[in-house]
């Protein structure tokens, strides 16, 4: 990996978008699987990094970070993905900027282990903090949120002529 760039066939934002879509399709087939949900959330959040590198290739890391932070704070749907991804990756969030998500939960009809996994639907639900209720409601199912997130990024990447 020369200069820590690229990873095999992941060389540009278009390649990373293809990976994001692959993760999304996997999530649609495995909506209740927390491992698949984790992979999707982390991947779609890091699409933000790839996007800002693509549209600002000459910017320093610091310049990209400022632009990215402004973008995130003006797009609540992305802010939620940042909060979820960083919360999942780092186990405990310490950055005060993460205010969008109150909690996540797998909605179970019975206790875990009562039936085999996938015997019933156990939708993953994202509970949001009050400031985000006006945009998404008190809670949103991961399936609906992920669809909206894919539509958002599709529009952003097309308007930047990146896909």
């Amino acid at each position: 990996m020369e200069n820590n760039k690229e990873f095999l066939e992941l060389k540009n934002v278009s390649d990373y978008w293809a990976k994001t879509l692959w993760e999304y399709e996997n999530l649609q087939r495995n909506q209740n699987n927390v491992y698949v949900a984790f992979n999707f959330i982390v991947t779609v959040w890091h699409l933000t990094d790839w996007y800002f590198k693509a549209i600002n290739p000459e910017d320093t890391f610091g310049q990209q970070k400022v632009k990215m932070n402004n973008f995130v704070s003006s797009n609540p749907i992305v802010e939620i993905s940042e909060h979820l991804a960083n919360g999942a990756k780092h186990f405990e969030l310490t950055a005060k900027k993460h205010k969008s998500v109150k909690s996540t939960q797998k909605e179970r009809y019975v206790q875990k282990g009562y039936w085999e996994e996938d015997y019933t639907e156990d939708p993953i639900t994202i509970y949001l903090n009050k400031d985000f209720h006006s945009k998404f409601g008190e809670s949103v199912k991961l399936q609906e949120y992920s669809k909206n997130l894919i539509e958002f990024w599709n529009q952003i990447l097309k308007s930047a002529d990146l896909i």
Side-chain angles (χ1 to χ4, degrees):
M1 286 179 41
E2 185 180 327
N3 296 326
N4 292 322
K5 292 181 181 177
E6 306 172 357
F7 179 76
L8 302 171
E9 281 81 28
L10 296 174
K11 297 177 188 279
N12 57 48
V13 73
S14 180
D15 297 337
Y16 199 81
W17 176 241
K19 178 197 179 345
T20 304
L21 292 175
W22 185 89
E23 295 289 357
Y24 174 71
E25 291 301 321
N26 195 22
L27 179 63
Q28 295 312 298
R29 288 189 302 275
N30 301 285
Q31 298 170 30
N32 306 323
N33 186 309
V34 295
Y35 300 155
V36 174
F38 173 90
N39 289 346
F40 171 76
I41 290 295
V42 170
T43 297
V44 77
W45 161 243
H46 285 289
L47 180 59
T48 312
D49 296 319
W50 286 71
Y51 168 70
F52 275 89
K53 186 64 177 171
I55 64 170
N56 302 298
E58 302 304 318
D59 282 1
T60 65
F61 176 77
Q63 291 168 323
Q64 286 180 7
K65 198 72 172 167
V66 167
K67 291 176 182 175
M68 195 166 103
N69 286 339
N70 290 335
F71 174 81
V72 170
S73 64
S74 62
N75 291 290
I77 196 163
V78 180
E79 194 170 354
I80 292 166
S81 71
E82 178 187 30
H83 189 154
L84 290 169
N86 284 310
K89 286 188 323 185
H90 301 292
F91 187 68
E92 179 180 358
L93 287 176
T94 55
K96 295 190 184 320
K97 69 179 180 176
H98 298 299
K99 300 175 189 167
S100 59
V101 178
K102 186 175 182 180
S103 66
T104 56
Q105 186 174 330
K106 223 174 159 183
E107 303 293 337
R108 298 183 190 277
Y109 296 106
V110 295
Q111 282 185 320
K112 181 178 179 170
Y114 186 79
W115 286 321
E116 289 182 38
E117 281 293 315
D118 298 329
Y119 186 74
T120 62
E121 285 190 22
D122 298 328
I124 297 170
T125 305
I126 304 163
Y127 291 91
L128 302 170
N129 283 320
K130 280 186 179 180
D131 292 344
F132 292 79
H133 287 187
S134 63
K135 304 266 191 267
F136 303 99
E138 186 177 331
S139 67
V140 61
K141 301 287 185 226
L142 180 60
Q143 182 180 14
E144 177 188 343
Y145 172 72
S146 63
K147 178 180 181 274
N148 292 332
L149 199 49
I150 289 295
E151 289 169 356
F152 170 85
W153 274 112
N154 188 52
Q155 183 178 13
I156 293 290
L157 296 172
K158 279 185 177 177
S159 68
D161 203 27
L162 293 170
I163 57 172

